[in-house]
Amino acid sequence: MSEKYEDADTIISDLESRMALVNLIRRGEYAAGIAVLSGDVMKSALEAGIPHAMAEEMASDFWKAEMLADTVAGLLHNVETEEDDG
C-alpha cells in the first residue's frame, strides 16, 4: 500500500474515532436530560396524588421509552449510513 493511502486511512480512522466520541458524549447528555425529565414525571405524578409505586413506574416507563427511542434511532442511522456507503 502506498504512503498516500496509508495517510488517508489514518485520517479516516481518526475521524471515525472522533465522531464516535462526539456521539457518545451526545448520548450521555441526552440520557442525563431524560433522567431529569423522568424525575419531573415522578414529582408531578406524586403532586397529583398518584401512589408512589405507580409514580415510580410511570417515571421508569418514560425513561425506558425515551432511551429505547434513542437507541433505535442510532441503530437506524447506522443502517442508513451503511446502505449509503454500500
Side-chain angles (χ1 to χ4, degrees):
M1 184 179 285
S2 74
E3 187 176 316
K4 179 179 177 182
Y5 291 118
E6 289 174 4
D7 290 342
D9 287 343
T10 301
I11 291 169
I12 291 170
S13 178
D14 184 53
L15 181 58
E16 288 173 342
S17 296
R18 289 174 189 235
M19 289 173 59
L21 180 58
V22 167
N23 186 48
L24 181 61
I25 291 168
R26 182 198 60 80
R27 290 194 69 211
E29 290 170 346
Y30 181 81
I34 295 304
V36 169
L37 291 174
S38 295
D40 290 346
V41 167
M42 185 162 176
K43 181 181 175 186
S44 295
L46 291 171
E47 289 172 354
I50 304 291
H52 186 273
M54 184 180 284
E56 196 171 58
E57 188 173 335
M58 291 169 63
S60 177
D61 287 348
F62 177 77
W63 165 264
K64 290 174 189 174
E66 289 301 314
M67 292 310 295
L68 177 61
D70 182 57
T71 300
V72 169
L75 292 173
L76 290 176
H77 176 74
N78 288 344
V79 168
E80 290 169 358
T81 302
E82 288 173 6
E83 288 177 354
D84 292 342
D85 292 342

